[in-house]
Amino acid sequence: GESVGLHLPTLSVQEGDNSIINCAYSNSASDYFIWYKQESGKGPQFIIDIRSNMDKRQGQRVTVLLNKTVKHLSLQIAATQPGDSAVYFCAEKMLRGALTFGSGTRLQVQP
Amino acid sequence: EPEVTQTPSHQVTQMGQEVILRCVPISNHLYFYWYRQILGQKVEFLVSFYNNEISEKSEIFDDQFSVERPDGSNFTLKIRSTKLEDSAMYFCASSLFDRPGVFGSGTQLSVL
């Protein structure tokens, strides 16, 4: 069946480095994608989104890239900080705002 | 900043018992959702609610589940007869428009 998934379960980076978290999706009809951050004991927190008519979108220290040819989504975090340590999920929007989440990547930032 | 509030933060129940998980969405939001996350797994969609009715539900949301917006502020998820496999973190979310919304901090349900 169609699914949204992640390549790397754990990513460890040094503080100050850039982080790249990847996501592969298989539903070619998907037109809206979101990255969420989830800290321990908390709910998913919206980071950034992108529509399928775009290939790049930038926020504050974060950039999302969408490659529809290979059905690949990535989240880039610039100058990674200890507070960025969390699990990151990509998600695909279904009807009425309901989401299909990927499996998650744990980002560990080493001081 | 407005928040989605969920109570209780942790609910322990015996198998076969009914539980009601409560959520107070952001006050001017119109779309409401329940998701769950089994320990170590991804977040899964359960149900969405708009204009006082279910607008979409997943295969997980079977007859033992129901949702209700009993008044202007609360949004509840009821599990009629809990099973061991219902143990999970349950997240409520709300949004103003038909787009991904703000999540609450969740209710950890433990079925014994």
Side-chain angles (χ1 to χ4, degrees):
Chain A
E2 302 285 6
S3 65
V4 178
L6 292 168
H7 292 308
L8 300 174
T10 303
L11 177 65
S12 184
V13 300
Q14 291 295 123
E15 182 178 358
D17 287 352
N18 297 333
S19 302
I20 300 176
I21 301 172
N22 297 301
C23 175
Y25 66 95
S26 56
N27 187 348
S28 57
S30 300
D31 61 2
Y32 183 54
F33 304 90
I34 311 98
W35 280 102
Y36 280 92
K37 172 185 180 183
Q38 187 178 26
E39 296 174 288
S40 181
K42 297 184 179 180
Q45 177 186 0
F46 174 90
I47 301 174
I48 192 168
D49 58 1
I50 188 167
R51 296 198 175 275
S52 60
N53 61 352
M54 304 170 68
D55 55 17
K56 180 179 180 179
R57 190 161 188 233
Q58 287 185 294
Q60 187 176 15
R61 281 201 307 120
V62 294
T63 301
V64 54
L65 299 177
L66 176 62
N67 186 329
K68 293 182 288 295
T69 303
V70 295
K71 290 185 279 190
H72 185 266
L73 193 68
S74 69
L75 176 70
Q76 300 179 0
I77 304 174
T80 313
Q81 302 169 359
D84 295 328
S85 294
V87 176
Y88 289 81
F89 295 93
C90 64
E92 165 192 12
K93 181 180 179 292
M94 294 156 45
L95 295 173
R96 293 290 186 191
L99 300 169
T100 298
F101 281 80
S103 302
T105 291
R106 181 173 301 281
L107 177 65
Q108 296 177 335
V109 182
Q110 308 297 328
Chain B
E1 186 172 332
E3 292 183 340
V4 174
T5 304
Q6 290 186 243
T7 56
S9 58
H10 196 171
Q11 174 83 50
V12 181
T13 190
Q14 294 290 326
M15 188 171 57
Q17 294 297 304
E18 174 184 286
V19 294
I20 298 176
L21 309 183
R22 303 182 189 278
C23 171
V24 179
I26 294 173
S27 60
N28 63 335
H29 283 187
L30 302 175
Y31 296 84
F32 312 106
Y33 314 89
W34 283 101
Y35 291 82
R36 78 173 187 188
Q37 186 177 29
I38 295 171
L39 184 63
Q41 298 186 23
K42 61 185 180 182
V43 178
E44 301 173 291
F45 167 71
L46 293 178
V47 65
S48 58
F49 193 86
Y50 171 74
N51 199 26
N52 288 319
E53 62 182 20
I54 291 173
S55 51
E56 191 174 12
K57 60 183 181 180
S58 71
E59 294 176 350
I60 303 169
F61 194 88
D62 60 22
D63 291 344
Q64 71 162 341
F65 290 91
S66 62
V67 290
E68 193 176 34
R69 188 157 163 80
D71 52 41
S73 61
N74 291 287
F75 180 52
T76 62
L77 175 68
K78 180 190 292 186
I79 308 175
R80 266 180 270 281
S81 177
T82 51
K83 298 177 283 195
L84 294 176
E85 54 264 39
D86 293 328
S87 296
M89 180 73 86
Y90 287 80
F91 293 106
C92 172
S94 71
S95 62
L96 178 58
F97 303 108
D98 181 16
R99 64 180 59 174
V102 178
F103 282 77
S105 294
T107 293
Q108 179 65 56
L109 177 64
S110 300
V111 183
L112 306 178

